[in-house]
Amino acid sequence: LAKTTQPISMDSYEGQEVNITCSHNNIATNDYITWYQQFPSQGPRFIIQGYKTKVTNEVASLFIPADRKSSTLSLPRVSLSDTAVYYCLVGEDTGRRALTFGSGTRLQVQP
Amino acid sequence: ETGVTQTPRHLVMGMTNKKSLKCEQHLGHNAMYWYKQSAKKPLELMFVYSLEERVENNSVPSRFSPECPNSSHLFLHLHTLQPEDSALYLCASSQDRWGSNEKLFFGSGTQLSVL
C-alpha cells in the first residue's frame, strides 16, 4: 500500500505562503494525489488533485516532481480562515486508498 | 454548500435509544459512504455503497446498521450505542467507487453524543 506521510502540524502568519509536503514513496503508476481541507466539526472539502507536474486552481497549487514520490500543496498568502487540517490522499486502481484519511497536517495561521 | 446534506446536525441519545442519521446527495453520484471521526482521530471509513449495494463494511459493530434505499439517500440506523460511539459521523459521495481520481464530497456531519 502506498502510505502517505505528512507533518503533524505547521504554523504560519497571515499573508505568508504555506507549503505542505506529503511523502508517498510507494505511489503506483495509476495513482492520483488528492488534497482535502477540514475545519473543526465539518466534513473535509476537496481542494486540489493532480497526477504529475503542477496543477493550479483558485485555492491552491499542487507541485508533483517527476518521480511522484512526494507532492507539495502550496497555499498563497494564507489568512486566519485557512487554519484547518489538510489531508493528502493517494489513490490506487481499486479506489481503496483514495478513501483512507491519515492524520493530516494541522495548519495554524496566526495574525 | 457541497451538495451533500446530513440531518440532524446534532444528536444526543441514551444507550437504549434507537435513532437514525440521514444523508442526501444532490450531485447525481453513484457511491456513498459513512465515516466516523472521533475526537483527535483520523476519519474511519465505516461503510461503502455503490449503486445502492453495500460493497464494504469495515468491521463495524452491528449496532450500526446502514441503509441505502436509492443512490441519493443513505441512512445510518443506531441502536444500543455505547458512550465510546460518540463522534462526528460524516456522509460522503463520489461519482463512482472505483478510480484513484475519485473526489469525495462530504456533508457537514452529525455530532453524536451517547450518554
Side-chain angles (χ1 to χ4, degrees):
Chain A
L1 294 178
K3 179 181 177 181
T4 60
T5 303
Q6 304 175 231
I8 294 175
S9 63
M10 294 182 69
D11 292 309
S12 183
Y13 292 94
E14 283 190 292
Q16 289 188 335
E17 178 185 73
V18 171
N19 296 309
I20 305 174
T21 296
C22 178
S23 172
H24 29 79
N25 291 321
N26 296 327
I27 190 168
T29 302
N30 296 325
D31 286 354
Y32 280 75
I33 301 154
T34 308
W35 285 81
Y36 293 85
Q37 173 192 56
Q38 185 181 25
F39 299 114
S41 300
Q42 293 186 28
R45 178 178 75 106
F46 170 84
I47 300 176
I48 197 166
Q49 183 182 79
Y51 181 79
K52 61 180 180 180
T53 62
K54 176 184 175 182
V55 180
T56 298
N57 62 23
E58 65 278 6
V59 176
S61 295
L62 180 59
F63 298 91
I64 305 170
D67 66 6
R68 303 198 330 118
K69 293 186 176 183
S70 66
S71 59
T72 299
L73 175 72
S74 181
L75 305 172
R77 298 179 297 282
V78 295
S79 64
L80 296 176
S81 62
D82 292 315
T83 294
V85 178
Y86 293 82
Y87 298 95
C88 162
L89 274 70
V90 175
E92 63 177 3
D93 287 343
T94 65
R96 182 64 176 90
R97 277 179 284 114
L99 307 178
T100 302
F101 288 75
S103 299
T105 298
R106 187 172 300 274
L107 173 65
Q108 180 70 49
V109 180
Q110 307 280 3
Chain B
E1 183 59 50
T2 64
V4 180
T5 303
Q6 288 187 245
T7 55
R9 189 72 178 89
H10 301 275
L11 178 62
V12 179
M13 59 186 290
M15 289 189 285
T16 59
N17 291 158
K18 291 184 180 180
K19 297 287 184 183
S20 296
L21 309 184
K22 179 183 177 182
C23 176
E24 182 175 1
Q25 59 98 358
H26 308 276
L27 302 169
H29 287 169
N30 295 318
M32 296 187 77
Y33 313 84
W34 279 116
Y35 281 86
K36 173 186 177 183
Q37 187 172 34
S38 303
K40 299 185 178 180
K41 286 188 177 181
L43 282 81
E44 300 172 51
L45 181 62
M46 300 175 72
F47 300 104
V48 178
Y49 275 83
S50 177
L51 297 173
E52 302 145 45
E53 176 186 355
R54 188 192 312 179
V55 294
E56 282 193 44
N57 174 352
N58 289 339
S59 303
V60 179
S62 60
R63 57 185 182 270
F64 295 91
S65 176
E67 178 189 2
C68 188
N70 55 63
S71 60
S72 298
H73 293 86
L74 186 64
F75 296 89
L76 187 62
H77 304 298
L78 316 171
H79 64 96
T80 59
L81 295 191
Q82 305 298 312
E84 59 265 29
D85 296 322
S86 298
L88 180 67
Y89 288 85
L90 292 160
C91 172
S93 71
S94 67
Q95 185 62 55
D96 292 293
R97 179 172 64 96
W98 299 126
S100 69
N101 60 340
E102 285 299 328
K103 304 176 185 66
L104 296 169
F105 292 79
F106 284 84
S108 297
T110 296
Q111 187 65 55
L112 173 67
S113 295
V114 181
L115 304 179

